[in-house]
Each structure stands twice: as structure tokens, then as C-alpha cells.
Amino acid sequence: MSQSPSRFGDKVAVVTGADSGIGRATATRLLDEGATVFAVDVKHTEPWQDPGAGRLRLLDLDVADPDAPGQLEVCLRAEARHVDVLANVAGILHIAPFLEVSRDDWNRVLAVNLTGVFFVSQAVARIMVDKRTPGRIVNVSSVHAVVSEPNAAPYTATKGGLEAMTRTMASELAPHGITVNCVRPGATRTGMSAPIYTSQIVRSLMAKIPLGKIAPPEWVASAICYLASDEACYTTGACLDVDGGYAMDGSLPGTAYS
């Protein structure tokens, strides 16, 4: 469903992981609805269309770099009058059996998916507080924060931690009028998930997802933008499932939906 192009008019948004997948869909949706968007990623590999003169700013930053949050904060303070929205979408997945995960594997996934989110959020929240902006921070979790994903222990650990961190951030930032929420996507077709979605895996997913579909990134972006909008002004510390019913369903295949 299309939204008014003015829903984010005069809003400034930061989106991490913006070059592809859910991050790209979120940045595009915010641009289409009137926001000025700072699109953050390690590098920008695909061309962008800026629907409004100068409303798109591309930043090459790795959120895992300890210097990145400070660099982002300096850039935002220099180029934006205020910051209204932060969407923490950047994430990586390392596939390996639990017994074979190295410390380097573990540290890299945590650096992007959890540590990076913490310190980028801290940098942006400081600006929101300084400017007295009732901002919105939206983190991207995963259905695998609550549903096991074998061979992805570092990833699932970060997503579970992210949801707990979201609630703490929400509590601390509420006195400043800043809401902090997360979305919990299920099966979504992105560049990161594409190698995993073999025909066998897709068949298995169809048997487990009540709505029987794998989401395009735009469906998740819609939920992110809802939580980033003034429509969600009374929601904080929440996690919104966008998974076709995957996490909630406990029926046996062939019984509940025959």
C-alpha cells in the first residue's frame, strides 16, 4: 500500500546496510516518502536514484569499525539540522557448525550485528538528545532470535542480544521522547539469504510458514517505516514479527492448513 510522500517530509533518516536487501528497501521507502536519507554501507555498489534534489547522501562506513560511529556523528552534526530516524539494518551471517566457529568468526559477527548497532545508536541518540528531537530508532532482529537456526550460533546470539538491548535502550531514551523498537523478519529474499535458499530449503519453508510466502525486502521495510513514523509514537521497546506466522506456528504439517 502506498503512503503519503509527506509522511517523512522534513525528516532526516540514517539507514545502515543501505546498499542492498532490507536496508536498500528501507532507504528507498524513506526517500519516496519525503525523508532526507544518509545511506550507510561499507561500499555502494548499485546506482541510486535521488527523487528529491540533494535528499540522498551516501556514506562509506563499516559499522564494525570502532571509528565509524564517531565519523558518522561528525558528518551528521555538520550536514543535518537534526536527525529523526535511525534504522539499524546492517548485518552479516556466518554459517559454520558450532564446534567449528573460530573466535575471529564470532568477533566479526558481533562487531557488525551487535557492537556496531550499540555504538551507532549511541552516536545518533546523542544528536537526538542534544537537538531535543523525539526520534525513532528501529533495529532489525531475526526470527532466529527465537527459533533455532543450526550452524549460525554467532548470528542467533547477536539477534537475541539485540532484542534485549532494544528494550534497555527504549527504557533509557524514553525520557527524551525517543522510541526504540525492532522488527523480527522471517524468511526474506536478500543477497545474504540467497545462497541458503536452495530448492529444498524453500520447500521446507513453505511447509513451516502459515502464509506460505518468502518476503521481499520491501515488506520488512514497510514495518520498519511504520515504527519510524509518528504513527508509532506510543510504541517503544516492542518487537514486531514480520515472518508470515513462522515463529508463532506450532501446527504439524498438513493438519492446520489443509
Side-chain angles (χ1 to χ4, degrees), residues 28-142:
T28 299
R29 180 68 173 266
L30 288 164
L31 282 167
D32 288 346
E33 295 194 36
T36 294
V37 174
F38 287 77
V40 178
D41 214 317
V42 176
K43 58 182 178 180
H44 294 272
T45 60
E46 300 295 331
W48 286 82
Q49 289 186 345
D50 187 348
R55 285 200 291 110
L56 174 65
R57 176 80 159 84
L58 304 182
L59 298 179
D60 295 336
L61 292 173
D62 181 353
V63 297
D65 182 346
D67 294 330
Q71 292 169 355
L72 175 62
E73 185 173 354
V74 168
C75 176
L76 292 171
R77 288 188 184 276
E79 300 187 23
R81 291 181 293 107
H82 51 80
V83 181
D84 304 275
V85 173
L86 168 62
N88 285 303
V89 190
I92 61 172
L93 172 66
H94 179 78
I95 298 296
F98 169 74
L99 296 176
E100 298 176 14
V101 173
S102 70
R103 188 171 291 273
D104 284 345
D105 298 334
W106 173 266
N107 287 341
R108 176 60 183 169
V109 176
L110 260 70
V112 176
N113 294 6
L114 195 58
T115 307
V117 172
F118 181 94
F119 287 104
V120 167
S121 297
Q122 186 184 70
V124 174
R126 283 174 176 151
I127 298 173
M128 291 176 175
V129 171
D130 288 350
K131 301 293 186 180
R132 301 183 184 276
T133 303
R136 308 276 180 262
I137 298 175
V138 186
N139 299 324
V140 176
S141 181
S142 166

Side-chain angles (χ1 to χ4, degrees), residues 210-230:
L211 289 182
K213 297 177 181 178
I214 295 176
E218 289 75 14
W219 291 358
V220 182
S222 292
I224 293 171
C225 289
Y226 162 67
L227 290 171
S229 75
D230 290 341

Side-chain angles (χ1 to χ4, degrees), residues 93 95 149 152 190-202 205:
L93 172 66
I95 298 296
E149 183 176 14
T190 66
M192 185 171 72
S193 67
I196 303 170
Y197 288 168
T198 64
S199 57
Q200 181 180 1
I201 291 296
V202 170
L205 285 170

Side-chain angles (χ1 to χ4, degrees), residues 128-182:
M128 291 176 175
V129 171
D130 288 350
K131 301 293 186 180
R132 301 183 184 276
T133 303
R136 308 276 180 262
I137 298 175
V138 186
N139 299 324
V140 176
S141 181
S142 166
V143 66
H144 295 297
V146 294
V147 175
S148 171
E149 183 176 14
N151 302 316
Y155 179 80
T156 59
T158 60
K159 295 306 183 179
L162 180 66
E163 294 190 9
M165 188 172 76
T166 294
R167 292 187 287 272
T168 299
M169 289 168 57
S171 295
E172 291 198 43
L173 294 175
H176 301 285
I178 299 168
T179 66
V180 188
N181 295 288
C182 67

